[in-house]
Amino acid sequence: MGHRAAIVGAGHTRFGVLEDGPRALLRAATDGAFASVDRGADRSAVGEAYLATLGFGGWQIGNSSAVLAEEAGLEGVPVTRVENACASGGFALRAAVRAIESGQRDLVLVAGLEKMTDVTSARRRYWLGVSGDTEWERSAGLTFAGVYGLLASRYLHQYAAGADALIAVAVKNHENGALNPNAHFQKRVTPETVRSSPRVADPLGLYDCCPVSDGAAALLLAPSGEARRYTDSPVYVDGLGAGSDSLAVQERADLLRFGATRWAVDEALHSARAERRGISFLEVHDCFTIAELLALEDLGFAEPGQAAEMTIAGRTARTGDLPVNPDGGLKAKGHPIGASGVSQAYEVFLQLRQAAGPRQIPHAERALTHNVGGAGATAAVTLYSAG
Ligand code: COA
């Protein structure tokens, strides 16, 4: 690797049910990223940009890259749209880091966006389904909540676990979301509220699911050697990993193992020459509570079946020995599909600069983000360290 990449600026809109349309969201997130650069960054210095979006609801399904160029004021800059379902943001960040590492670009913008709440509920179901397996899962009527509900049933059965671990994930992530002014849900919930919430896909209830959210996030990356021209506190990208797996879960040998995540984390650790031990906190893809447990196991931070106990014991709380999703995760912060992977890196940017306010993790020095597409079909893992 010739040039290491550093994040020098980051912007984020509120996530939730918003009045703003896609263009206004992109403008707000990218303006925020430029405004956050301590010593300023000139838009004319940007040499490349990436836009992560599914195009939910059919918004500008073709050529949305040009919209990012317009809204971010990047006249003439090449923009590439990245679509890997819910992992679009993680893969767009990966492409941006590669553009810096190639030595060909000095400043790269990556933005993630989704506008999800302005469609009818029938169209919402359709657009949530487009990233699922059409041959089996969708034709059998399975939504993503349905697929993850099956995985949750299998997990609870295989490890003779109760629903307490799923409930603990929801309570923890709502607790963290309550401290995040950008979160879709900024309210704490009790275990009883989660337990008694309406069933969505048994054993998953309302509070086991991420919501349908609008929002955008953006990052500015520069080569590490030039990062201090922009800020005294850059956040370095130390390692990248990515992988893919079968689209349909029934093609997999083990329902409770996401191969894409396993390949991605191995590659990320190898490329960073890092070990799990030094990582201060994780941002994992908790689209459903079961997904956070599976992520902890696939990422190698818990043995198979042990993530449940680890979560119930409070080890993944903000005050635990391995905080997970200090921003509230997809569960409470929200999940505007293309924005989520970029938003995870935004949280890392704040935490590693000790700028996360009341949800700051003390002594945060290294972090890992994990962004998944669909039910484990694709995954991107990124490792970071403080400047
Ligand atoms: N967690 C907690 N509360 C939620 C929620 C969630 N995930 N989703 C909605 N709510 C709340 C709303 O704020 C609203 O509260 P209010 O009555 O106090 O205003 C209430 O529940 C009803 O909201 P509504 O939007 O009508 O819910 P819904 O029943 O149409 O949708 C889900 C709920 C869980 C089905 C929907 O959020 C969903 O499909 N989530 C999964 C999205 C997904 O699959 N993403 C891709 C992942 S791979």
Side-chain angles (χ1 to χ4, degrees):
M1 191 203 315
H3 304 259
R4 193 175 167 213
I7 306 174
V8 297
H12 204 288
T13 67
R14 171 89 200 258
F15 281 5
V17 181
L18 307 177
E19 285 193 359
D20 282 347
R23 281 180 176 270
L25 291 171
L26 276 180
R27 195 162 52 245
T30 54
D31 280 355
F34 282 102
S36 74
V37 178
D38 296 330
R39 285 194 266 280
D42 198 340
R43 289 176 201 244
S44 65
V46 174
E48 191 90 35
Y50 295 89
L51 172 62
T53 188
L54 177 74
F56 197 92
W59 171 73
Q60 198 55 57
I61 195 83
N63 252 337
S64 45
S65 303
V67 179
L68 175 62
E70 281 179 44
E71 297 305 330
L74 301 180
E75 200 184 334
V77 171
V79 186
T80 305
R81 172 179 164 195
V82 177
E83 190 285 298
N84 267 10
C86 307
S88 301
F91 277 82
L93 170 59
R94 182 168 177 270
V97 170
R98 292 284 188 239
I100 295 286
E101 288 174 350
S102 75
Q104 293 182 9
R105 299 294 188 226
D106 290 336
L107 195 60
V108 174
L109 176 81
V110 51
L113 160 80
E114 220 67 61
K115 177 72 193 176
M116 302 177 73
T117 66
D118 60 350
V119 299
T120 63
S121 51
R123 277 179 61 78
R124 189 175 85 177
R125 273 195 300 281
Y126 170 81
W127 279 98
L128 282 171
V130 294
S131 310
D133 167 57
T134 45
E135 284 183 9
W136 293 96
E137 291 169 2
R138 279 179 67 200
S139 59
L142 275 173
T143 58
F144 274 117
V147 174
Y148 276 95
L150 292 174
L151 301 185
S153 293
R154 177 74 214 172
Y155 187 96
L156 299 184
H157 169 76
Q158 187 159 318
Y159 300 120
D164 287 4
L166 302 177
I167 294 169
V169 171
V171 170
K172 168 186 71 74
N173 289 349
H174 271 272
E175 165 71 31
N176 292 345
L179 298 176
N180 182 353
N182 285 327
H184 187 145
F185 297 122
Q186 298 174 31
K187 62 169 186 186
R188 295 179 172 84
V189 293
T190 64
E192 200 34 50
T193 308
V194 178
R195 197 188 311 276
S196 60
S197 67
R199 298 296 86 190
V200 174
D202 205 51
L204 304 180
L206 183 66
Y207 283 92
D208 291 288
C209 304
C210 63
V212 171
S213 321
D214 305 323
L219 307 166
L220 279 166
L221 289 94
S224 55
E226 289 174 41
R228 284 180 192 274
R229 265 179 42 197
Y230 297 102
T231 173
D232 288 334
S233 351
V235 167
Y236 296 103
V237 177
D238 294 336
L240 290 177
S244 63
D245 204 341
S246 63
L247 181 58
V249 293
Q250 80 265 8
E251 302 295 337
R252 302 183 195 158
D254 186 340
L255 281 179
L256 300 183
R257 301 282 158 267
F258 283 6
T261 294
R262 296 176 149 227
W263 288 307
V265 71
D266 283 351
E267 188 191 5
L269 288 167
H270 181 76
S271 65
R273 295 190 192 86
E275 290 181 26
R276 290 177 180 83
R277 231 174 330 128
I279 295 174
S280 323
F281 74 96
L282 314 177
E283 277 284 309
V284 308
H285 196 93
D286 60 324
C287 48
F288 299 93
T289 48
I290 181 64
E292 181 164 315
L293 302 182
L294 296 177
L296 283 169
E297 296 175 11
D298 287 326
L299 291 169
F301 291 91
E303 293 297 321
Q306 296 300 306
E309 211 179 293
M310 187 174 167
T311 306
I312 291 168
R315 292 185 51 203
T316 57
R318 246 179 19 264
T319 48
D321 62 306
L322 184 66
V324 177
N325 291 332
D327 58 1
L330 279 55
K331 166 67 274 257
K333 184 185 58 177
H335 183 23
I337 296 175
S340 288
V342 182
S343 166
Q344 291 177 326
Y346 174 87
E347 179 68 6
V348 168
F349 185 70
L350 295 188
Q351 290 281 354
L352 294 189
R353 288 157 57 103
Q354 314 297 316
R359 64 180 192 282
Q360 180 66 48
I361 295 162
H363 317 299
E365 285 177 0
R366 289 176 187 276
L368 176 152
T369 58
H370 162 251
N371 189 202
V372 169
T378 54
V381 170
T382 310
L383 295 171
Y384 314 76
S385 61

